């Protein structure tokens, strides 16, 4: 794991120079930022006409249920949870399991996008889930939750919980248990950015309300990757890295909260601002591994989240990557993107074993 720092590890010094990046990656980040700025309006709405061009047509990929040598040994397919609200998921599983294979843990994944953008079909998230399956050794179920501002808080959390309820009652449709057996009692939640925020709130809801009566699915752990938290206060890292770090800046963050939170709410709303006072964590809240990047403007909020979990007596570990920017692990050419998958693998294996022998 990356080196952990003391509780309350907020940044009060000058920001480091930007970490070295390949030119091609810099251009990708510029293009991504331009696409986000093109579709996000100042009034907190999204230009869905432009969005359909930039995201749904140019950035999305189809599921691949029959992979060939070019796509590797991971297959993918989609299934519907609730067509009426557009709730569906994309599954990533080995093309075939070895004979008498041990059931695989399940990872339910929530993509990023500031609560307002993207889907499991967007190429970077499709690629991340494919690598999670292959490198971490899990069957991934990537959830297409409803987007803000058309569907504000708590729609994404509701969809996240309902996806777990569906899996608990139905298993994974389209996956032959004799082909690739899965262990729903070793279920992990993971997601980056807004998806990391969703991971926290869905896990707490599930642990408090649904876990006691669940038939098959038990949460073994959560992995919020650079989770999206905030508040009315501007943290030192937000101020120091604004306009310096790629992808996230104050303007885009403010847009995301304005789009997602209830009309009239500010950034101290409990969905965004997880504190000792408002974080009533369920007794069965699962162990957490929080991924924090040193070049992420949101890192101070993420460290505060870690501190809250610790003060509440919850099991939490930190994977800290000093040079990582927000969204880094969507780019496999970066060494940190591979390293964090190995950290995730260790976390999954150790927590699964603890559950299995309990």
């Amino acid at each position: 794991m990356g080196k952990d720092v003391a509780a309350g590890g907020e940044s009060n010094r000058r920001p480091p120079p930007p970490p070295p990046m390949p030119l091609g990656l810099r251009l990708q980040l510029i293009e991504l930022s331009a696409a986000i700025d093109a579709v996000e309006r100042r009034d907190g709405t999204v230009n869905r006409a432009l969005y359909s061009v930039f995201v749904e047509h140019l950035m999305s990929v189809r599921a691949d249920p029959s992979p060939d040598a070019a796509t590797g040994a991971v297959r993918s397919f989609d299934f519907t949870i609730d067509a009426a609200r557009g709730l569906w998921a994309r599954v990533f599983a080995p093309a075939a399991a070895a004979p008498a294979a041990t059931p695989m843990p399940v990872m339910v994944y929530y993509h990023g996008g500031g609560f307002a953008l993207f889907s499991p079909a967007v190429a970077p998230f499709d690629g991340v889930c494919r690598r999670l399956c292959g490198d971490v050794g899990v069957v991934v179920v990537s959830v297409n939750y409803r987007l803000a501002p058309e569907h504000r808080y708590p729609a994404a959390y509701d969809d996240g919980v309902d996806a777990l309820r569906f899996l608990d009652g139905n298993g994974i449709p389209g996956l032959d248990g004799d082909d690739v057996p899965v262990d729903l009692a070793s279920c992990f939640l993971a997601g980056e950015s807004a998806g990391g925020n969703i991971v926290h709130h869905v896990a707490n809801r599930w642990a408090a309300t649904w876990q006691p009566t669940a038939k098959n699915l038990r949460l073994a752990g959560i992995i919020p990757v650079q989770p999206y938290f905030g508040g009315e206060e501007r943290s030192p890292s937000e101020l120091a890295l604004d306009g310096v770090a790629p992808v996230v800046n104050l303007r885009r963050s403010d847009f995301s909260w304005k789009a997602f939170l209830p009309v009239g709410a500010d950034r101290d709303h409990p969905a965004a601002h997880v504190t000792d006072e408002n974080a009533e964590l369920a007794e069965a809240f699962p162990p957490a591994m929080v991924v924090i990047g040193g070049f992420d403007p949101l890192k101070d909020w993420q460290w505060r989240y870690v501190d809250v979990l610790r003060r509440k007596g919850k099991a939490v570990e930190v994977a800290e990557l000093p040079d990582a920017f927000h969204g880094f692990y969507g780019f496999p050419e970066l060494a940190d993107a591979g390293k964090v998958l190995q950290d995730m693998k260790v976390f999954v294996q150790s927590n699964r074993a603890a559950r299995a022998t309990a």
Side-chain angles (χ1 to χ4, degrees):
M1 295 290 174
K3 184 179 178 181
D4 207 325
V5 303
E10 299 180 19
S11 304
N12 293 302
R13 58 185 182 274
R14 292 180 180 179
M21 295 183 204
L23 177 60
L25 175 55
R26 289 185 180 276
L27 293 176
Q28 288 183 64
L29 292 172
I30 290 171
E31 291 173 355
L32 174 62
S33 297
I36 292 172
D37 291 341
V39 301
E40 292 183 346
R41 298 186 177 114
R42 292 184 180 181
D43 64 358
T45 62
V46 174
N47 186 328
R48 293 297 177 192
L50 280 179
Y51 177 84
S52 68
V53 174
F54 285 127
V55 177
E56 295 178 358
H57 294 297
L58 297 180
M59 295 179 63
S60 298
V61 295
R62 295 181 180 274
D64 185 6
S66 302
D68 56 24
T71 57
V74 175
R75 57 176 158 155
S76 60
F77 57 89
D78 300 339
F79 71 86
T80 299
I81 298 173
D82 183 352
R85 55 177 150 153
L87 181 56
W88 57 272
R90 178 164 293 184
V91 177
F92 299 82
T102 301
M104 296 180 67
V106 173
M107 180 174 285
V108 179
Y109 187 84
Y110 304 99
H111 65 82
F115 305 101
L117 305 175
F118 306 137
S119 80
V122 169
F125 301 122
D126 182 276
V128 162
C129 291
R130 194 172 297 280
R131 293 190 293 276
L132 286 169
C133 178
D135 295 349
V136 180
V138 291
V139 170
V140 180
V141 180
S142 183
V143 178
N144 185 67
Y145 54 86
R146 288 171 292 173
L147 300 177
E150 294 85 355
H151 305 282
R152 294 176 177 270
Y153 165 93
Y157 302 161
D158 292 343
D159 291 351
V161 170
D162 286 348
L164 298 186
R165 294 177 61 200
F166 181 92
L167 293 174
D168 181 55
N170 301 278
I172 302 176
L175 193 64
D176 187 341
D178 294 330
D179 180 16
V180 180
V182 297
D183 179 13
L184 281 171
S186 293
C187 182
F188 294 80
L189 306 186
E192 85 292 327
S193 193
N197 175 293
I198 294 169
V199 162
H200 166 78
H201 289 286
V202 166
N204 200 33
R205 284 189 180 195
W206 180 264
T209 304
W210 298 103
Q211 189 64 87
T213 58
K215 300 175 182 177
N216 300 298
L217 189 150
R218 296 194 63 84
L219 290 188
I222 64 171
I223 308 177
V225 180
Q226 300 177 292
Y228 209 78
F229 296 114
E232 282 297 292
E233 172 196 353
R234 300 300 193 185
S235 74
S237 63
E238 284 180 304
L239 294 172
L241 294 173
D242 188 46
V244 179
V247 183
V248 169
N249 58 34
L250 290 173
R251 177 175 53 80
R252 294 185 190 124
S253 289
D254 289 352
F255 170 90
S256 296
W257 293 124
K258 182 177 181 179
F260 177 64
L261 295 175
V263 174
D266 63 24
R267 296 188 300 273
D268 286 339
H269 187 280
H273 196 57
V274 176
T275 67
D276 288 331
E277 291 73 26
N278 66 31
E280 297 182 4
L281 299 183
E283 183 177 352
F285 189 87
M289 181 186 114
V290 183
V291 179
I292 300 177
F295 211 65
D296 182 356
L298 302 179
K299 65 179 179 179
D300 287 348
W301 292 113
Q302 294 154 7
W303 277 113
R304 292 186 192 188
Y305 171 64
V306 169
D307 291 344
V308 169
L309 294 184
R310 287 173 172 163
R311 287 193 294 270
K312 295 285 185 178
K314 303 305 179 183
V316 57
E317 54 193 83
V318 176
E320 185 183 21
L321 302 128
D323 290 336
F325 59 86
H326 195 84
F328 76 97
Y329 94 136
F331 301 92
E333 60 266 44
L334 295 174
D336 282 344
K339 180 183 183 306
V340 78
L341 292 180
Q342 294 309 305
D343 289 344
M344 291 179 179
K345 183 175 184 178
V346 171
F347 178 80
V348 166
Q349 291 177 337
S350 62
N351 283 280
R352 182 189 185 193
R355 289 276 181 172
T357 57

